[in-house]
Amino acid sequence: LSLSWHLSLSLSPSLSLPPPPLSLSPRPPPLSLPGSPAPSLSPFLDIWDVNMLRRPDEVNTPQHSTHLYASDHLIVRRGQEFQLKVTFDRPYKPSDDQFAVEFVIGGSPQYSKGTYIPVSVAKDRQSPWAGRVVDSTDNVVTVGITPAPDCIVGKWRTYVAVVTYSTSDSVFLDDADEREECVLNEVGVIYHGAYDDMSERPWNFGQFDYGVLDACLFIMDKAAMPITNRGDAIKVARKASAMLNSHDDDGVLVGNWSGDYTYGVAPTSWTGSTEILLNYSSSKTPVCYAQCWVYAAVFNTFLRCLGIPARVVTNFFSAHDNDGNLKTDVILDENGRIDKHRTKDSIWNYHCWNECYMSRPDLPQGFGGWQAVDATPQETSDGIYRCGPASVQAIKHGQICFPFDAPFLFAEVNSDVVFYSRNPRDGTLEPVKVNSSHVGRMVVTKVPGQDARRDITDQYKFPEGSPEERTVLEKAEEYGCHREKATPPEADVELDMPLMEVRVGDDFELKLEFNNTSDQARTVDVYVSGNVVYYTGVTSSEFLFKTPRVILDPKKAEKQVMEVHSQDYMRKLVEQANLHFIATGKVKETGQIITSMRVVTLHTPKLSVEVSGLAKVSEEMMVTVEFTNPFKFNLEDVYVRVEGPGVMPPKYKHYR
């Protein structure tokens, strides 16, 4: 290389690429060491200036849709051309002059590893990245450079963010509305509660907030992820699913489902990802505390920040099976009452994970697109707490042999709830009822461009009872996901608990509706248990237990009503205020078992937020947050957190 090449590099801005955006920032141009004369470069070109065209009103930022990033660097997207202007000491002559731009990453860059990228503008020179002269006027040459759509995600001398909308990129999402939502939207909604009584949790993803990009790059550095792997969206997503939780590798968030958050922030208190990521990158230690939606929300920020289209999804009645099969086991004693000591499997009222969009060249054709990834530490994968990416198409079609972790995700939406009766003499278990429609009742995400929910259950599973569903379950069983083969006869008595909408602190009526479909009278001994539960389905305490006997005439229905008083459950409530009722009964004449389950998410009092004053750029506004205690007792240790994405950092207030 000629001396002019090296000198041009020393004068050129340092360049750095993390995932999809590419960010360039100039360094002070060291022409020579102090005291040493500058060598004469004549007749070669001499570099006087390099302009990265990084201002918002210049060509690069608008064309690359990177105007939302709060950064002093130029950020461009891989697979798309960006421009820079080079000022020489004289006019550039293509026939006589040769110049190039080098991009270097890592401690020992090598061309063969894609960590040293020389880009030439000469037409007869081949480069991994394309380069051309866009314009040459007087001494100023405008150069166009197109990074390869699969170039490395990481730090190129100075930080550079690589985000891409190139159709040849592995994360290109063709739908413009989906792309706008899943890459550029900084705020969103996460759904929770119950599938038939859903609540919304607004969230500030803040992927363009100042410092968030650096925090996301730090996560990959902390994971010691090889630089050469950072252009592979599959490897980035899998590594991040491990790094977002603190198990194994001191990752971003500490999980806590105990209800005691003395040494951190309660998961329900977070309103956005920015504070979490900035705390982690500055302290270099895990942030306390998180539950599934917090993991999913921060993971969403990470993926969107790096240009990988991503969305948060919620699965209502999500199985967490301890045995690795398609059965969630509920053990009953000989009288039909639940044996809580022997029932180990749990069904989460809801569970949040992420989907990210990418091609899957490691899988057969047709299994690219949306991939499920989950940072919540539930089970280990290859010895590490992580999950995915697993093709959503593979989950739907039972092809759970494909990597990564498809069997676990398949079970979360497809498990059967199997009730077993335990023989008191020898301890054997006999299946007495199978509920195949309870788990995976509904999978939802946000509608692109709207504050509305979208049911995507059909992307994960075929309709219950359809021939396609049976085929899929048989296929999954071939790969080791075993299900209950027995088909106990349906009882001729039906039991249902209708939906109830209840506010915290209300007395209400629990209704049990029985229907005798037989031509004979039936007597049912029923066990009704009401429990305060965490959203993971784990019981905190039982507050109601009744054992009514119901006598049903042939072809007749009967309704049992039980009074539930607030004083019975209020002092036992845990976060998210979930009550779980389960009724099991044994038909005296036939020995058949009947069951019904109902989750009641108590509606909490609402906060009101009002903005006063003129909503004008660069003008101050006032925000009033109001909450009225509707109860007949004091609320203690109340924390209020307020965040305004882009206009106000998080603020806190504590009331004793």
Side-chain angles (χ1 to χ4, degrees):
L1 297 177
S2 68
L3 182 60
S4 63
W5 177 286
H6 287 292
L7 184 58
S8 71
L9 274 180
S10 70
L11 289 167
S12 298
S14 302
L15 210 175
S16 142
L17 317 179
L22 196 154
S23 156
L24 309 116
S25 79
R27 295 181 288 131
L31 232 137
S32 59
L33 294 174
S36 61
S40 172
L41 299 179
S42 180
F44 299 109
L45 286 170
D46 193 4
I47 310 293
W48 281 6
D49 184 55
V50 177
N51 181 356
M52 303 310 301
L53 304 177
R54 60 182 179 169
R55 294 204 315 265
D57 59 338
E58 293 179 309
V59 63
N60 291 322
T61 296
Q63 288 189 357
H64 288 256
S65 299
T66 55
H67 57 288
L68 295 174
Y69 281 93
S71 175
D72 296 330
H73 304 302
L74 170 63
I75 300 175
V76 300
R77 303 186 183 279
R78 60 182 184 177
Q80 289 183 234
E81 184 180 79
F82 68 91
Q83 296 180 13
L84 55 90
K85 288 187 177 182
V86 183
T87 302
F88 297 108
D89 62 331
R90 58 171 175 79
Y92 166 64
K93 299 177 182 179
S95 58
D96 299 334
D97 299 321
Q98 294 185 24
F99 74 95
V101 183
E102 286 183 324
F103 299 99
V104 181
I105 187 170
S108 83
Q110 298 179 38
Y111 182 87
S112 62
K113 292 185 177 180
T115 55
Y116 163 64
I117 308 288
V119 180
S120 172
V121 298
K123 294 182 179 179
D124 58 345
R125 299 287 180 89
Q126 296 296 317
S127 301
W129 299 3
R132 69 186 182 103
V133 173
V134 177
D135 181 68
S136 181
T137 303
D138 295 329
N139 293 14
V140 180
V141 177
T142 302
V143 181
I145 295 176
T146 305
D150 58 350
C151 65
I152 288 171
V153 168
K155 300 177 182 177
W156 297 72
R157 189 130 348 142
T158 301
Y159 291 121
V160 171
V162 179
V163 177
T164 177
Y165 289 156
S166 163
T167 55
S168 57
D169 193 297
S170 63
V171 297
F172 177 71
L173 178 56
D174 192 42
D175 187 308
D177 290 338
E178 289 273 18
R179 193 167 63 234
E180 180 79 17
E181 176 71 37
C182 297
V183 177
L184 298 180
N185 196 354
E186 297 177 78
V187 295
V189 175
I190 301 171
Y191 297 98
H192 65 106
Y195 80 96
D196 50 4
D197 188 16
M198 217 172 287
S199 299
E200 299 177 353
R201 189 186 303 279
W203 195 271
N204 171 34
F205 296 119
Q207 67 267 34
F208 303 114
D209 286 354
Y210 190 84
V212 168
L213 177 58
D214 287 345
C216 294
L217 296 177
F218 168 72
I219 290 170
M220 291 193 289
D221 291 341
K222 182 74 179 284
M225 186 177 186
I227 288 177
T228 51
N229 288 351
R230 298 187 188 186
D232 187 327
I234 301 169
K235 293 177 180 177
V236 169
R238 183 150 176 82
K239 177 64 73 173
S241 77
M243 280 301 298
L244 264 292
N245 66 72
S246 63
H247 286 266
D248 311 309
D249 41 28
D250 287 333
V252 178
L253 284 158
V254 178
N256 186 341
W257 284 263
S258 70
D260 181 2
Y261 309 116
T262 304
Y263 299 104
V265 176
T268 51
S269 292
W270 296 114
T271 53
S273 305
T274 303
E275 184 181 5
I276 294 170
L277 288 168
L278 296 186
N279 284 351
Y280 180 68
S281 63
S282 62
S283 70
K284 310 295 189 291
T285 57
V287 178
C288 302
Y289 293 105
Q291 293 176 4
C292 73
W293 71 91
V294 183
Y295 284 116
V298 179
F299 199 176
N300 215 54
T301 299
F302 175 90
L303 293 166
R304 288 186 183 184
C305 185
L306 301 190
I308 301 173
R311 61 193 187 189
V312 177
V313 303
T314 303
N315 176 38
F316 288 96
F317 293 140
S318 190
H320 185 181
D321 185 352
N322 291 320
D323 302 322
N325 54 34
L326 291 180
K327 300 184 295 181
T328 298
D329 304 331
V330 180
I331 314 300
L332 309 176
D333 65 19
E334 66 273 19
N335 298 315
R337 180 179 179 180
I338 289 182
D339 187 336
K340 294 183 179 180
H341 297 292
R342 291 183 170 86
T343 299
K344 301 298 183 184
D345 292 347
S346 65
I347 301 173
W348 294 30
N349 296 345
Y350 66 89
H351 179 49
C352 300
W353 61 72
N354 301 83
E355 289 179 358
C356 52
Y357 195 93
M358 63 184 68
S359 63
R360 289 297 299 266
D362 57 326
L363 302 182
Q365 189 172 3
F367 292 103
W370 290 112
Q371 311 289 312
V373 287
D374 192 348
T376 302
Q378 297 181 88
E379 302 288 342
T380 58
S381 172
D382 298 329
I384 297 174
Y385 281 96
R386 57 185 171 183
C387 186
S391 166
V392 173
Q393 277 292 306
I395 294 169
K396 179 174 181 176
H397 290 86
Q399 299 285 355
I400 57 175
C401 57
F402 297 142
F404 297 90
D405 310 309
F408 183 80
L409 287 153
F410 184 86
E412 285 190 298
V413 296
N414 283 293
S415 282
D416 294 335
V417 182
V418 184
F419 293 85
Y420 291 92
S421 180
R422 183 175 180 275
N423 189 314
R425 292 186 296 276
D426 56 13
T428 56
L429 299 177
E430 177 188 359
V432 291
K433 183 178 174 64
V434 178
N435 186 335
S436 60
S437 62
H438 185 72
V439 168
R441 186 67 63 91
M442 187 181 291
V443 184
V444 298
T445 191
K446 180 181 176 294
V447 175
Q450 302 178 38
D451 287 332
R453 68 175 179 264
R454 174 181 172 192
D455 186 345
I456 58 170
T457 312
D458 61 351
Q459 296 185 21
Y460 279 86
K461 56 201 293 191
F462 289 100
E464 295 288 344
S466 65
E468 294 88 349
E469 186 209 25
R470 286 196 297 272
T471 302
V472 165
L473 293 174
E474 290 168 0
K475 174 64 68 176
E477 196 159 19
E478 293 176 10
Y479 296 122
C481 272
H482 300 294
R483 58 194 176 113
E484 180 55 57
K485 295 290 185 59
T487 54
E490 287 292 325
D492 53 22
V493 175
E494 299 169 348
L495 172 58
D496 184 42
M497 278 189 277
L499 174 65
M500 295 166 283
E501 292 193 11
V502 184
R503 294 177 304 179
V504 172
D506 282 356
D507 298 337
F508 61 95
E509 292 181 342
L510 175 66
K511 298 176 182 177
L512 277 66
E513 297 177 351
F514 299 84
N515 184 29
N516 181 7
T517 63
S518 75
D519 297 323
Q520 301 175 5
R522 292 288 184 250
T523 302
V524 186
D525 290 315
V526 184
Y527 297 89
V528 182
S529 176
N531 300 274
V532 171
V533 295
Y534 296 95
Y535 85 98
T536 57
V538 175
T539 297
S540 171
S541 59
E542 186 177 61
F543 67 89
L544 179 143
F545 183 72
K546 294 185 180 294
T547 58
R549 168 170 283 195
V550 181
I551 299 175
L552 301 166
D553 293 331
K555 299 290 186 181
K556 293 293 184 181
E558 181 75 29
K559 184 182 294 184
Q560 286 276 317
V561 178
M562 301 177 185
E563 293 288 337
V564 179
H565 299 287
S566 61
Q567 64 193 34
D568 296 332
Y569 67 80
M570 278 297 291
R571 292 299 178 184
K572 299 178 180 180
L573 281 183
V574 294
E575 60 206 31
Q576 302 189 52
N578 290 311
L579 306 181
H580 183 254
F581 295 95
I582 182 165
T584 61
K586 190 171 186 178
V587 181
K588 182 178 179 181
E589 290 79 8
T590 63
Q592 294 170 329
I593 298 294
I594 60 174
T595 66
S596 183
M597 295 179 283
R598 168 65 63 188
V599 172
V600 177
T601 301
L602 299 176
H603 293 200
T604 53
K606 300 299 182 184
L607 288 166
S608 71
V609 181
E610 293 185 0
V611 179
S612 59
L614 182 64
K616 188 176 180 181
V617 173
S618 299
E619 296 289 335
E620 186 178 80
M621 297 184 301
M622 296 301 293
V623 177
T624 302
V625 181
E626 188 173 293
F627 172 78
T628 301
N629 179 6
F631 305 118
K632 297 177 181 178
F633 51 84
N634 291 338
L635 295 176
E636 299 176 0
D637 280 332
V638 176
Y639 286 88
V640 177
R641 297 166 64 88
V642 188
E643 181 174 7
V647 294
M648 185 182 75
K651 295 180 181 293
Y652 325 97
K653 194 169 179 66
H654 174 232
Y655 297 88
R656 273 173 39 197

